[in-house]
Amino acid sequence: MSDDPRCCGSGTCIIDPEGRCWCGQQWDGEKMATPPLAPPADAPSDRPESD
């Protein structure tokens, strides 16, 4: 196991080249943080459809 400075301290971090950990956190350039939620690309919009 390497001593990756991005590890949260648990000793179980597995971080990919993009900075994403298996636990769902992502490196933001300074620390590991939970990324913001984004709606799925196929999610319906909030606007009603017009006929």
Side-chain angles (χ1 to χ4, degrees), residues 10-40:
S10 67
T12 60
C13 293
I14 301 171
I15 304 167
D16 71 8
E18 287 79 34
R20 295 179 302 228
C21 185
W22 68 271
C23 71
Q25 293 191 31
Q26 186 163 358
W27 183 251
D28 70 1
E30 296 180 11
K31 64 185 179 315
M32 291 302 268
T34 304
L37 294 176

